Amino acid sequence: KNEVEQSPQNLTAQEGEFITINCSYSVGISALHWLQQHPGGGIVSLFMLSSGKKKHGRLIATINIQEKHSSLHITASHPRDSAVYICAVRRGAQKLVFGQGTRLTINP
Amino acid sequence: EPEVTQTPSHQVTQMGQEVILRCVPISNHLYFYWYRQILGQKVEFLVSFYNNEISEKSEIFDDQFSVERPDGSNFTLKIRSTKLEDSAMYFCASSQISGANVLTFGAGSRLTVL
């Protein structure tokens, strides 16, 4: 069983829809990262969370440490949000363990 | 905005050859990392580096791999004798403090081993 599981694996939605991507993990962590991987392969860090909720523009990330679960929400989705969204948890001092990613496609 | 720069963007090599992938982290960052992503698979942690030494490494990072900060700006990943299964995208990243901080990733170096 993977230490980090994301759902759904693929998500297609229409422009303007509210998007939720989920991440569950099975181990103790000290922090959780949400990353965005563009079609060209580049990775951008979106959030780093250890508790509660963070918001940046149309993106919101939440984490529930007790339930070992995090969600990434996108409000008013746009075609430029189309990317792979990756959840990664920090284990040990530096090591990140990555989920398999959620491929999001927003159609105009 | 400061960037992490990786070279080369793509390298093709023959099995058994040595490869060096180069990274220039953000200048005031103190922690440096290498990750790899085999095509179609998830990203995997290879190694972290702080204060001129390895601070953590994964089981993937065996004796074939080494890292170095030769001149205070470059951070290199060397693969001594490449195997077919080393074909992957290799990402360098850096952070200002420990891994609890936000990471900045480079654009990646695609390695193809023939």
Side-chain angles (χ1 to χ4, degrees), chain A residues 2-4 31 33 35 37 40-45 47-48 86 90-100, chain B residues 31 33 35 37 42-45 48 55-56 58-59 89 91 95 97-107:
Chain A
N2 290 327
E3 292 182 22
V4 181
H33 296 251
L35 310 165
Q37 186 167 31
I43 297 175
V44 174
S45 183
F47 295 104
M48 192 282 297
I86 301 171
R90 186 162 75 98
R91 303 216 50 217
Q94 307 294 335
K95 180 180 179 180
L96 286 185
V97 177
F98 293 77
Q100 79 277 22
Chain B
Y31 288 80
Y33 313 87
Y35 301 90
Q37 186 176 32
K42 59 185 179 181
V43 179
E44 299 172 292
F45 169 82
S48 61
S55 51
E56 195 164 357
S58 73
E59 55 279 2
M89 181 76 95
F91 292 101
S95 63
I97 53 176
S98 76
N101 207 323
V102 171
L103 298 168
T104 303
F105 286 83

Side-chain angles (χ1 to χ4, degrees), chain B:
Chain B
E1 187 163 332
E3 287 184 340
V4 174
T5 305
Q6 287 188 243
T7 54
S9 56
H10 189 193
Q11 180 156 357
V12 181
T13 191
Q14 295 291 327
M15 194 168 55
Q17 295 296 302
E18 176 184 282
V19 160
I20 297 176
L21 305 178
R22 291 183 168 80
C23 170
V24 180
I26 292 173
S27 60
N28 65 344
H29 284 189
L30 300 177
Y31 288 80
F32 316 116
Y33 313 87
W34 283 103
Y35 301 90
R36 80 170 184 192
Q37 186 176 32
I38 295 170
L39 188 63
Q41 297 187 22
K42 59 185 179 181
V43 179
E44 299 172 292
F45 169 82
L46 290 178
V47 67
S48 61
F49 192 85
Y50 169 72
N51 200 25
N52 282 320
E53 60 183 25
I54 291 173
S55 51
E56 195 164 357
K57 61 182 182 179
S58 73
E59 55 279 2
I60 301 167
F61 194 88
D62 61 21
D63 292 344
Q64 291 292 340
F65 291 92
S66 62
V67 289
E68 198 177 34
R69 193 140 196 256
D71 57 12
S73 61
N74 286 284
F75 177 51
T76 61
L77 174 69
K78 183 193 290 187
I79 309 174
R80 252 177 276 283
S81 176
T82 49
K83 303 190 276 283
L84 294 176
E85 54 265 36
D86 294 327
S87 295
M89 181 76 95
Y90 289 82
F91 292 101
C92 174
S94 67
S95 63
Q96 195 164 28
I97 53 176
S98 76
N101 207 323
V102 171
L103 298 168
T104 303
F105 286 83
S109 293
R110 180 168 297 286
L111 176 65
T112 302
V113 182
L114 302 176

Side-chain angles (χ1 to χ4, degrees), chain A residues 7-28:
Chain A
S7 63
Q9 285 193 326
N10 293 282
L11 178 56
T12 300
Q14 290 301 120
E15 183 172 356
E17 286 189 39
F18 181 80
I19 302 299
T20 295
I21 298 169
N22 296 299
C23 175
S24 296
Y25 51 92
S26 57
V27 294

Side-chain angles (χ1 to χ4, degrees), chain A residues 59-98:
Chain A
L59 301 178
I60 303 164
T62 63
I63 188 168
N64 185 318
I65 297 291
Q66 286 75 30
E67 294 186 6
K68 294 186 166 62
H69 182 268
S70 175
S71 293
L72 177 69
H73 306 284
I74 306 174
T75 61
S77 59
H78 189 276
R80 66 175 173 265
D81 297 326
S82 298
V84 175
Y85 291 84
I86 301 171
C87 169
V89 299
R90 186 162 75 98
R91 303 216 50 217
Q94 307 294 335
K95 180 180 179 180
L96 286 185
V97 177
F98 293 77

Side-chain angles (χ1 to χ4, degrees), chain A residues 95-108:
Chain A
K95 180 180 179 180
L96 286 185
V97 177
F98 293 77
Q100 79 277 22
T102 295
R103 184 173 300 278
L104 174 66
T105 305
I106 304 296
N107 293 319

